[in-house]
Amino acid sequence: MASFVPTRADTLEDQRLYTSARLTEVACLDCLARVGVKKNSEHHTSIQWRREARDVCPELTRRDAGTDGRDYHQGCPRLTASIDAAVREGRVPIGAEDGY
């Protein structure tokens, strides 16, 4: 349970900037799972997994069978390849804007 639930407009805007600003939707070229992606630099990639994407990704489904469903830190190599392709094609911009 959250110990702090933001209600002020400026705090809610900060929360939006940190969690979802500049996310570009990318679909896995294998299973079509759709995630939000942001690249602040060539070496930094943020991926926002949606529940629907976690549920359809065979890599995560196979790996997480029998767990509590929280072990997603390793990611999916096929999705990583799909993100790399989207970056090469210019669909995912690289570089932070205004710190985000």
Side-chain angles (χ1 to χ4, degrees):
M1 182 162 158
S3 60
F4 170 73
V5 178
T7 57
R8 291 181 39 185
D10 56 340
T11 305
L12 291 169
E13 178 61 10
D14 285 344
Q15 181 183 39
R16 185 194 70 76
L17 287 171
Y18 288 125
T19 60
S20 62
R22 293 184 49 247
L23 288 177
T24 301
E25 188 171 84
V26 174
C28 177
L29 297 174
D30 185 45
C31 71
L32 303 179
R34 300 178 91 65
V35 298
V37 176
K38 176 171 47 171
K39 285 197 66 72
N40 288 337
S41 73
E42 186 68 36
H43 302 286
H44 176 269
T45 304
S46 293
I47 302 172
Q48 185 69 261
W49 282 87
R50 297 173 182 93
R51 175 161 306 284
E52 297 83 13
R54 292 191 313 255
D55 290 344
V56 300
C57 176
E59 177 71 19
L60 297 185
T61 301
R62 179 189 58 77
R63 186 183 312 144
D64 295 326
T67 69
D68 65 3
R70 296 183 189 182
D71 185 22
Y72 296 111
H73 62 276
Q74 292 181 0
C76 172
R78 289 180 293 279
L79 178 68
T80 300
S82 301
I83 292 169
D84 291 344
V87 171
R88 280 191 308 275
E89 295 166 5
R91 293 185 288 127
V92 176
I94 299 174
E97 294 174 12
D98 297 328
Y100 299 101

